[in-house]
C-alpha cells in the first residue's frame, strides 16, 4: 500500500501519479490535497509520514512545488527517509543506497510524465543492503540521539 500526499504546488504531479497507479492496479491511500487551492504542505507530509512510519503503508509519495518543504516536514517523523528526486538516477539510487521510504517531487520542477517515470523506478528498485545497511543505521542512530560519530 502506497501513501500519497501533496499540496497545491504538487497537485499536477499527483494527478498523473494516481492515474499511473490505477492503470497498473497498484493500491494506494490518498491523503490529499484534492485541488490546486492553497494549503499547508506540512499537513500532508505528516499524514503520509505517519502512515509509513507506523506501517499502515509500505512507502509514500509526496509532492509540493519544489519537493523540498514537504520532504523536510516528512523527515521530522521518526523512521522516515524522504528523498527529493528530480532525475531517474536519483530515483533509483535513493532506494538502492539510502533505502528511502518516501519519494518527494516538485510540481514546479519536473513534468508529470517525469514524476510517473521516477515513481515507477522508485517502486521497482530494491534496497541494496550490504554496506548501505550500516550507513542507513547511522542515519537512524543520529535520529535516535545514539550516534557516536
Ligand atoms: C507553496 O507555494 C510552496 O511553498 C510549496 O509547494 C513547496 O514548494 C514548499 O517547499
Amino acid at each position: 500500500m502506497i501513501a500519497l500526499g501533496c499540496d497545491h504546488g504538487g497537485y499536477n504531479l499527483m494527478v498523473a501519479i494516481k492515474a499511473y497507479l490505477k492503470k497498473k492496479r497498484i493500491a494506494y491511500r490518498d491523503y490529499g490535497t484534492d485541488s490546486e487551492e492553497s494549503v499547508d504542505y506540512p499537513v500532508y507530509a505528516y499524514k503520509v509520514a505517519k502512515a509509513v512510519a507506523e506501517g499502515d503503508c509500505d512507502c509514500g509519495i509526496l509532492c509540493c512545488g519544489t519537493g523540498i518543504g514537504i520532504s523536510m516536514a516528512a523527515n521530522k517523523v521518526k523512521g522516515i527517509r524522504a528523498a527529493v528526486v528530480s532525475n531517474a538516477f536519483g530515483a533509483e539510487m535513493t532506494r538502492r543506497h539510502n533505502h528511502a521510504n518516501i519519494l518527494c517531487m516538485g510540481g514546479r520542477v519536473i513534468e508529470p510524465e517525469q514524476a510517473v517515470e521516477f515513481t515507477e523506478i522508485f517502486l521497482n528498485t530494491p534496497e541494496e543492503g550490504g554496506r548501505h545497511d550500516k550507513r542507513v543505521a547511522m542515519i537512524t542512530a543520529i535520529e535516535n540521539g545514539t550516534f557516536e560519530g
Side-chain angles (χ1 to χ4, degrees), residues 4-6 14 44-45 48-49 60-64 70 74 102-105:
L4 302 181
C6 67
M14 202 44 85
Y44 304 93
V48 166
I61 301 175
L62 285 169
C63 300
C64 67
I70 211 158
I102 299 185
L103 171 67
C104 302
M105 294 175 285

Side-chain angles (χ1 to χ4, degrees), residues 7 9-10 13 20 27 30 35 39 54 69 75 87 118 125-126 134 142:
D7 75 352
L13 300 188
Y20 163 77
D30 186 2
S35 78
V39 292
E54 291 175 359
N75 276 319
N87 56 56
F118 305 159
T125 304
K134 179 180 139 205
I142 292 171

Side-chain angles (χ1 to χ4, degrees), residues 75-97:
N75 276 319
K76 295 295 178 192
V77 175
K78 232 179 208 275
I80 293 304
R81 290 179 300 280
V84 188
V85 160
S86 57
N87 56 56
F89 184 65
E92 179 182 343
M93 296 315 284
T94 202
R95 283 290 300 145
R96 282 201 192 289
H97 287 189

Side-chain angles (χ1 to χ4, degrees), residues 7-28:
D7 75 352
H8 53 289
Y11 182 71
N12 61 333
L13 300 188
M14 202 44 85
V15 169
I17 292 165
K18 277 191 267 186
Y20 163 77
L21 295 175
K22 256 184 213 156
K23 198 175 97 190
K24 293 282 179 185
R25 298 177 189 272
I26 298 171
Y28 65 81

